[in-house]
Amino acid sequence: MPEVKNRQAVTGAQAIANAMRQINPDVVAAYPITPQTPVVEYFAQYVADGVVDTEMIPVESEHSAMSAVVGAAAAGARAMTATAANGLALMHEIVYIAASSRLPIVMPVANRALSGPINIHCDHSDAMAERDSGWIQLWAENAQEAYDLTLIALRLGEHEDVRLPVMINFDGFIISHGVEVVDFLDDEVVKKFVGEPKVKYPLLDVDNPVTYGPLDLYDYYFEHKRQQIEAMKHVERVYKEIVDEFEKISGRRYDIFDKYMVDDAEYIMIALGSTAGTIKYTVDLLREQGHKVGIVKPWVFRPFLKKELQEVLNGRKAVIVLDRSASFGAEAPLYEAVKSALFNVENKPLIGSYVYGLGGRDIKVEYIKQAFEDAFAGNLNPDEERYLGLRE
Amino acid sequence: MAELKNWKELPIGGVIDKPATAKEYQTGTWRVIRPIYQAENCIHCMFCWLYCPDQAVEIEVVDGKPKMKGFNYYYCKGCGLCANVCPKTNDKLPEEKRAIVMKPETEFQE
Ligand code: SF4
Ligand code: SF4
C-alpha cells in the first residue's frame, strides 16, 4: 500500500479540479452550469495562478464548449471540459460527433436532473440521455472515486485500441458539493501515470495532412459505426490493464463492478453513484439481522460489460435494481441493461425494478430496506416498475 | 472510384488520412449533360476554368498566356456552370457560334 502523503477534506468538485491540475491538459473549454460550476471555477483559478499550462477557453454555451474541445482534440491536444444536465443536453449533437470522430476527450459530469420542470438537483437523466452516444461512462460513488476515475479516464480514452471520449459521472451536489476526505496522489506520480498525450491523426501535423468530419454516406458510415462498436469491445481489457497500474500507485482497486458483501449474498442490489454508499450502510444493518445481502455497483456503465455481472448474479435468489432516472414508456436504463444481461444466465434470480431519487429526492435507508424486504418476501415482479420515496 | 474498404482496413473516426483523395473520385459518372468545346469561338478568357467546381477544364500555357484546351470528362459532372459564365455562349447565339454547347449525355452512349 503506497504511503498516503496528501490527505485533504475537499468537495468532489475540488477533487476533480485537482485531478485536472495534475493532468495539466492542453485545452479546457467550458461553460458554467450548476452543479458543475465549482469544477471549472477551481480550475480557472489554477489557470489564473499560472500553475497549469492549459489554454482555457471561456465559451458562450456548452455546444461551443464541446465543439472547442473536439477541435482541440482533433488538433492533437489533450482536451477536457465538464458539464451537467441541460448543459450536457445542449452539447448532445457534438457529444455524438466527439465519439464518432474518435477523440479521447475527458469530461466530468455532475449528474443533475434534466428540465423540465427546472430542477438543479441530482439524478441520472442527463448521463442516461447520452448512453448511446458512444462515450465510455464511468460512475463514481464519492469524491475519492471521482478523482481517481478522472485520472483513469484519461489513460483509457487515449489508449490506442480505444480512442474514445470518457465521461466521469459524479452525483451533483451530493458528490460535487459535499466535503469528504480524499487521498491525492503526488503531482509527480500523476504526471508519470498520465504520461505524454497519445495522439492519432493530429491536424497540427502539417506534414501529414488529414481530414476530419468529411461527408460519410451509405458507402462508409456503417463501417465507421462498426469500428466504434469494436473500440467499445476493447475497453474491458484496456481498463483492466490501467486499473492494475493505478492500484500500484494508489493502493485503490477499481474493477468493472464494485462488489460489496456479495460472496455469500442471496439478495443483491445494483445501483450507480453515491446511493451505493447508503446501500452499503443498509447492507451492514441487514447483515446484523442475519440477512445475506450485498451490492454491486458498476464503475463502468458504458460499455455495459455483462459477462462479469452474469457470473456474479447467476444463482442468487433475487436482484434489485435501483435507477435514478426513468425511461418513459419503457424500463429504466440500468434495470433494462441488467435484465437483458440475465437472459443468458443459467440460474436466473428473481428481479425487480425500483426508480428513486428523481430531481434530488432523498434516498433513505428505510426505502432501501423496503426494497430488500420485498425481495425477502419473494414479492418482486420483473415486469413492474416500483418507486421509492414517491408519494403514491 | 477506389475499391471500397472493409471496417478493419479503414482509418478510424471517418478520418481521411491522406490529402487530395478527391482526385480518385470520378464525378464524371454523375453527368447527364455534357459540355462540348468549340475552340474556334473561344476567346480564352478563362472564366470556365475559374468557375468549374470540379477543375474539369483543362488549360495549357502558351507564350506565358493561358489557353483553354477542353474538358476532362472523368471529372466533369455536367453542371453547365462553364456554359453559363462563358461570354461567348448564350441562348441567343446559334449553336455553331457558341464556345460551349451543352448536349444530352444520351447522344454519346453507344
Ligand atoms: S459542366 Fe460543370 S463540371 Fe463540367 S466542365 Fe463545365 S463547369 Fe466544370
Ligand atoms: S469561358 Fe468560354 S470563351 Fe472563356 S475560355 Fe471558357 S470556353 Fe473560352
Side-chain angles (χ1 to χ4, degrees), chain A residues 52-324:
Chain A
V52 287
D53 308 309
T54 307
E55 184 73 38
M56 177 112 189
I57 314 175
V59 282
E60 72 279 20
S61 76
E62 285 86 356
H63 189 279
S64 306
M66 185 48 69
S67 300
V69 289
V70 159
R78 199 170 246 173
M80 295 182 75
T81 181
T83 193
N86 296 40
L88 182 55
L90 182 54
M91 282 180 178
H92 172 75
E93 178 189 9
I94 317 298
V95 164
Y96 203 91
I97 289 171
S100 305
S101 304
R102 307 295 297 276
L103 300 169
I105 294 157
V106 171
M107 171 166 70
V109 173
N111 302 111
R112 163 187 149 181
L114 280 176
S115 296
I118 195 162
N119 179 301
I120 57 166
H121 289 286
C122 175
D123 83 21
H124 298 161
S125 50
D126 54 359
M128 288 305 164
E130 302 301 334
R131 70 188 188 275
D132 293 334
S133 63
W135 282 58
I136 294 168
Q137 285 197 4
L138 307 179
W139 287 76
E141 178 182 324
N142 50 41
Q144 181 72 61
E145 292 189 7
Y147 168 77
D148 292 343
L149 291 174
T150 302
L151 302 177
I152 290 167
L154 192 100
R155 286 283 303 278
L156 182 59
E158 280 186 8
H159 193 282
E160 194 183 17
D161 297 336
V162 177
R163 305 304 294 178
L164 289 171
V166 192
M167 197 180 287
I168 303 100
N169 293 285
F170 64 111
D171 285 345
F173 289 110
I174 301 164
I175 301 177
S176 65
H177 288 59
V179 174
E180 293 177 88
V181 170
V182 174
D183 288 335
F184 290 113
L185 298 170
D186 275 352
D187 290 357
E188 281 309 308
V189 171
V190 173
K191 198 174 169 188
K192 203 162 155 251
F193 177 72
V194 298
E196 287 297 310
K198 282 156 205 73
V199 295
K200 198 170 172 75
Y201 307 129
L203 283 170
L204 286 180
D205 179 3
V206 290
D207 294 329
N208 296 292
V210 295
T211 304
Y212 271 87
L215 194 63
D216 196 27
L217 301 180
Y218 37 73
D219 49 357
Y220 274 122
Y221 184 88
F222 203 168
E223 276 69 24
H224 289 128
K225 294 298 121 180
R226 178 65 184 85
Q227 292 177 329
Q228 283 177 255
I229 293 164
E230 189 68 11
M232 278 289 186
K233 288 185 184 174
H234 297 165
V235 169
E236 182 166 15
R237 171 178 53 82
V238 174
Y239 176 82
K240 283 177 176 168
E241 285 166 19
I242 293 166
V243 293
D244 281 349
E245 201 183 313
F246 188 79
E247 187 180 13
K248 288 197 190 99
I249 59 165
S250 68
R252 293 184 290 276
R253 176 86 204 151
Y254 289 89
D255 291 312
I256 308 289
F257 296 97
D258 182 14
K259 297 179 282 274
Y260 182 73
M261 305 296 272
V262 294
D263 288 349
D264 65 340
E266 295 172 336
Y267 303 91
I268 291 182
M269 192 170 270
I270 303 181
L272 290 163
S274 64
T275 300
T278 318
I279 300 171
K280 286 172 181 170
Y281 176 77
T282 313
V283 162
D284 289 346
L285 294 178
L286 289 170
R287 286 243 166 207
E288 279 170 24
Q289 297 167 17
H291 295 289
K292 289 185 172 171
V293 291
I295 164 174
V296 169
K297 177 193 68 183
W299 269 311
V300 184
F301 177 67
R302 276 294 181 277
F304 194 73
L305 300 164
K306 57 189 170 188
K307 195 170 161 286
E308 197 180 319
L309 191 66
Q310 288 165 332
E311 283 161 14
V312 176
L313 301 184
N314 184 27
R316 311 286 176 164
K317 278 193 180 157
V319 172
I320 306 148
V321 184
L322 264 58
D323 272 274
R324 203 163 196 158

Side-chain angles (χ1 to χ4, degrees), chain B residues 37 41-49 57 68 71 82 85-89 99-100:
Chain B
Y37 179 49
N41 303 322
C42 175
I43 56 169
H44 304 284
C45 67
M46 293 298 112
F47 271 32
C48 55
W49 173 79
V57 174
M68 163 64 170
F71 298 108
C82 50
V85 298
C86 173
K88 299 297 286 177
T89 300
I100 301 171

